[in-house]
Amino acid sequence: MVIIPPMTASSESIEMLKRLVAFDTTSRNSNLALIDWVRDYLADLGVESQTVYSEDGAKANLYATIGPDDKPGVMLSGHTDVVPVDGQEWDTDPFEIVEKDGRLYGRGTCDMKGFGAVVLALAPEFKRRNLKTPIHLAFSYDEEVGCIGVRRLIDEVQRMDVRPAACIVGEPTEMKVIRAHKGKSSFVCEVRGFECHSSLAHTGVNAVEYGAAVVARLREMAKARRDNGPFDDGYMPPYTTIHTGLMNGGTALNIVPKDCSFEFEWRYLPDDDPAAILKEIQTYVDEELVPEMQAIHPDTGITITEMSDIAGFDTPEDADVTTLAKALAQVNDTSKVSFGTEAGLFNNADIPTIICGPGSIDQAHKPNEFVSLDQLAACEAFLKRLMDRVAKG
Ligand SMILES: [Zn+2]
């Protein structure tokens, strides 16, 4: 009888994860200490890195190639920033890894320094193997605040002579192969009304009420999509969702409010057209609400401003990158998810992309976030299979 020992991660991966988690790279902070450390670590292995800085120089993406630099290879990609721990009840220090019951606890262990740690821990072996096909490492900043940082990196990569042939984004999927996710657009709506005493409400323009009218219309649009589609059963829920998440307005009950603002988003199926959704609400605002407001007072209006857009993506089941990822993960099927990642941006830059990484999205962004040692071990096995392939050709 063969006894298969439980899978556990290498000490190199665990040590690397400890190191990465210790850098407090909450999105509002600089990530340069982490990036500099990674650059030095790779330099010691003889691997040169390229850094692509944010406009103010406070943050950076890192891009490096191991293996031949004149051939397209497989890009392993992840973000270095993490969500805040503010207001969360942690049992341990979020920036110091604690191992307990086969799990490593700490901010970013799952989303998504676990993947980065395994990649970096295996970098010396990738280097030693004299790869025939290169791997590219891509580490970004400001993913958690709208996939901001990676856009500059993608611009840079698109200018390179050799561009990656495929991309694996290591967001937490429990090492399942995800080949599609919804897109997400977010907006702020500002309503400018006209203030007056509430006893003379008919002479004012009530910004809160007009704001509410827009929210109500968004809700109708959401219901229409829920009831009439388009549908894709690969997603939960299988339709585009529209939602208002935050609203402010007014100063006192006896004043007709002059200001109201709120934020809303849609998470759309890759086949749905986000521009058409925006046009629908914008037309309602421009043709029905604003004329009504301006008939009472000309200096009123409604402005909708996009805050972020994260593209969806839908890599075909029979694409080379899907086949590769299924072989590396030793799975026969793929799935789709509703959360957004940088994958859509890579995909839009004509780099075929899938998502596969250790840990579960259920643990992401929460207090006592963790990644299990067997998930890290599964990620190691995945990357070692990749190593065997790219070493051969
Ligand atoms: Zn993430």
Side-chain angles (χ1 to χ4, degrees):
M1 188 173 112
V2 182
I3 296 172
I4 301 167
M7 291 217 292
T8 191
S10 70
S11 57
E12 287 84 356
S13 293
I14 297 172
E15 281 310 308
M16 187 62 73
L17 185 53
K18 282 185 182 165
R19 206 178 280 279
L20 297 184
V21 167
F23 293 103
D24 176 358
T25 52
T26 306
S27 308
R28 63 180 171 237
N29 299 339
S30 168
N31 73 336
L32 291 184
L34 183 151
I35 291 290
D36 288 348
W37 187 87
V38 172
R39 192 190 51 212
D40 292 348
Y41 167 80
L42 292 172
D44 286 346
L45 302 174
V47 176
E48 216 180 298
S49 302
Q50 197 172 334
T51 36
V52 181
Y53 288 87
S54 58
E55 208 158 329
D56 64 1
K59 297 172 185 179
N61 301 290
L62 180 144
Y63 185 80
T65 296
I66 304 179
D69 60 6
D70 58 349
K71 267 178 88 172
V74 178
M75 178 159 64
L76 304 173
S77 156
H79 60 84
T80 61
D81 60 320
V82 296
V83 294
V85 297
D86 309 338
Q88 296 187 336
E89 296 273 339
W90 281 72
D91 294 336
T92 58
D93 179 347
F95 298 104
E96 196 177 312
I97 293 267
V98 173
E99 184 179 339
K100 197 170 167 255
D101 303 330
R103 295 169 168 181
L104 299 174
Y105 288 88
R107 173 52 88 225
T109 46
C110 147
D111 186 10
M112 59 169 288
K113 290 175 171 174
F115 179 75
V118 177
V119 169
L120 289 170
L122 287 173
E125 217 172 317
F126 272 109
K127 179 69 183 163
R128 259 199 313 275
R129 294 282 293 268
N130 281 324
L131 308 181
K132 299 265 192 320
T133 299
I135 61 156
H136 314 283
L137 313 186
F139 296 116
S140 68
Y141 64 90
D142 280 357
E143 189 272 350
E144 296 289 4
V145 289
C147 296
I148 309 287
V150 76
R151 295 168 203 254
R152 296 174 81 93
L153 177 62
I154 290 173
D155 286 348
E156 199 61 41
V157 168
Q158 284 191 296
R159 278 195 287 271
M160 292 175 182
D161 295 336
V162 178
R163 294 165 45 177
C167 173
I168 298 169
V169 175
E171 290 275 2
T173 67
E174 298 171 274
M175 297 309 296
K176 293 184 184 116
V177 176
I178 305 297
R179 64 174 184 83
H181 69 54
K182 287 182 180 176
K184 176 187 146 184
S185 303
S186 64
F187 302 86
V188 58
C189 178
E190 282 153 311
V191 184
R192 194 176 60 256
F194 185 69
E195 200 169 51
C196 67
H197 193 284
S198 61
S199 64
L200 297 170
H202 67 290
T203 63
V205 177
N206 191 317
V208 166
E209 288 179 6
Y210 279 101
V214 181
V215 172
R217 177 52 75 103
L218 288 167
R219 191 171 138 78
E220 289 306 314
M221 289 165 57
K223 276 189 193 162
R225 277 155 185 82
R226 182 197 64 194
D227 295 342
N228 309 320
F231 297 109
D232 181 338
D233 285 331
Y235 295 97
M236 182 62 204
Y239 45 84
T240 295
T241 57
I242 302 176
H243 139 101
T244 302
L246 189 73
M247 193 168 197
N248 286 298
T251 41
L253 181 59
N254 59 3
I255 301 173
V256 170
K258 75 174 187 340
D259 292 305
C260 175
S261 71
F262 60 94
E263 293 178 13
F264 61 96
E265 63 169 34
W266 36 82
R267 291 175 182 260
Y268 54 96
L269 298 178
D271 281 348
D272 214 342
D273 178 9
I277 309 175
L278 179 60
K279 189 156 181 267
E280 192 177 336
I281 190 69
Q282 191 72 58
T283 302
Y284 172 64
V285 164
D286 292 345
E287 291 181 3
E288 295 193 39
L289 299 183
V290 173
E292 207 179 284
M293 294 165 77
Q294 292 185 345
I296 302 168
H297 198 282
D299 192 20
T300 56
I302 298 175
T303 321
I304 295 174
T305 311
E306 184 179 277
M307 295 195 292
S308 71
D309 178 51
I310 299 172
F313 84 113
D314 196 344
T315 299
E317 184 71 49
D318 60 359
D320 288 348
V321 67
T322 314
T323 307
L324 171 70
K326 281 158 74 176
L328 300 179
Q330 297 190 321
V331 297
N332 295 321
D333 52 6
T334 61
S335 37
K336 304 177 179 185
V337 293
S338 291
F339 59 88
T341 73
E342 295 170 340
L345 296 169
F346 286 120
N347 188 64
N348 280 358
D350 292 326
I351 303 171
T353 299
I354 58 98
I355 312 172
C356 183
S360 162
I361 196 72
D362 289 347
Q363 272 88 54
H365 299 196
K366 287 189 183 162
N368 303 322
E369 176 182 347
F370 69 85
V371 68
S372 66
L373 292 171
D374 59 353
Q375 279 288 301
L376 290 183
C379 183
E380 282 170 11
F382 177 99
L383 290 173
K384 283 184 175 173
R385 286 179 208 116
L386 173 65
M387 200 185 291
D388 288 341
R389 279 178 178 242
V390 291
K392 278 196 210 113

